[in-house]
Amino acid sequence: WYKPFVSNPWNLFDAFIITASFVTALVPGQSAGTKTSLQAVRVLRVLGKVEILKKVISALAIALLPVLSVFFILILLVSIGAVLAVSIFGHEYKDQFAVFDQAFVTLFFVTAGEPWPDEFRQLNEEGKVNWSVMSFCFIYTVATYWIFLQVCFTVLLDNFIAASAQMSLLKKLSDAQIQKSEQEMRNPLEPLLVTLAMDFSDDQDLSDRLQRLYE
């Protein structure tokens, strides 16, 4: 029983929730926030009980692994953009691009959907286009939003569909194997009886064989 239990991630999750609940109840001095957070996590146990939700979460977890490689490339792209921003705009926009760390955080938030900083203006004080800022914003937006984020979503969706189809196939094969085993257990003597029914000479011969079989 141990190996099937441990091999199921949902069983491990349930064991973690139950253990944490006992620890929270027994150990004194636990804050109210810890207990509230643990109670909120308990709701996730429903995902392991409802078959369709379990299937969706499992397929999503499998599909996330290939996305990590694309996400790593996206991080490299943000890093390259941060290096360029520091070298081009570090002397002018010191609050956003003075050093690599500031530039990386700024571009990461922009990639996550935040607007560009107000100080990083595409128009100068005279109302004319600041082509260096505009070009950088345009190239970075196209590379991140229009290309790599779309690639991430496409890879995630493609692997999610493939994982879902694979899980459905494995479920059908498992059900077919269980049904076959139940049929074999229901009539374990059926192959022998079929052989006897096709290989006897007369009624007396069949009776003798059946009598010897049950002796």
Side-chain angles (χ1 to χ4, degrees):
W1 62 271
Y2 177 77
K3 186 175 181 180
F5 180 85
V6 175
S7 61
N8 191 341
W10 292 104
N11 293 336
L12 297 178
F13 181 76
D14 289 341
F16 170 76
I17 295 298
I18 294 173
T19 304
S21 300
F22 276 113
V23 171
T24 305
L26 296 177
V27 177
Q30 293 293 327
S31 62
T34 303
K35 296 181 179 179
T36 304
S37 301
L38 186 59
Q39 291 175 355
V41 174
R42 290 176 184 173
V43 180
L44 296 178
R45 294 184 61 193
V46 179
L47 300 178
K49 308 302 180 182
V50 182
E51 188 65 27
I52 184 64
L53 294 178
K54 181 179 179 180
K55 179 180 178 182
V56 171
I57 297 300
S58 300
L60 185 61
I62 297 174
L64 283 176
L65 296 178
V67 179
L68 295 179
S69 58
V70 182
F71 184 75
F72 178 74
I73 297 176
L74 182 61
I75 294 298
L76 289 179
L77 181 63
V78 176
S79 301
I80 294 173
V83 172
L84 293 177
V86 170
S87 61
I88 298 175
F89 308 109
H91 62 284
E92 186 176 357
Y93 302 96
K94 295 183 179 180
D95 293 336
Q96 293 80 27
F97 304 111
V99 294
F100 175 80
D101 297 343
Q102 289 180 338
F104 183 87
V105 172
T106 301
L107 294 181
F108 183 82
F109 280 113
V110 169
T111 306
E114 293 290 332
W116 290 94
D118 295 335
E119 297 80 3
F120 197 62
R121 299 177 180 177
Q122 288 81 21
L123 300 178
N124 55 25
E125 297 178 355
E126 299 177 357
K128 296 182 180 180
V129 177
N130 190 341
W131 288 107
S132 60
V133 175
M134 179 65 73
S135 300
F136 181 82
C137 293
F138 177 78
I139 294 174
Y140 186 83
T141 301
V142 170
T144 55
Y145 278 98
W146 296 359
I147 297 178
F148 277 96
L149 287 181
Q150 305 302 322
V151 170
C152 288
F153 292 140
T154 302
V155 172
L156 177 62
L157 181 60
D158 182 66
N159 285 276
F160 178 82
I161 294 175
S164 180
Q166 183 180 8
M167 291 178 61
S168 298
L169 180 59
L170 293 176
K171 183 69 167 56
K172 291 180 180 179
L173 293 176
S174 178
D175 293 342
Q177 185 67 29
I178 293 175
Q179 185 177 4
K180 182 179 179 181
S181 300
E182 291 178 351
Q183 291 177 354
E184 292 178 352
M185 293 178 62
R186 190 179 301 119
N187 296 312
L189 297 179
E190 183 176 355
L192 179 59
L193 295 177
V194 171
T195 303
L196 291 175
M198 298 178 60
D199 191 30
F200 70 95
S201 58
D202 52 22
D203 293 342
Q204 185 62 36
D205 182 37
L206 179 59
S207 300
D208 295 339
R209 293 191 181 193
L210 292 175
Q211 186 176 1
R212 287 196 299 268
L213 177 64
Y214 290 100
E215 286 180 354

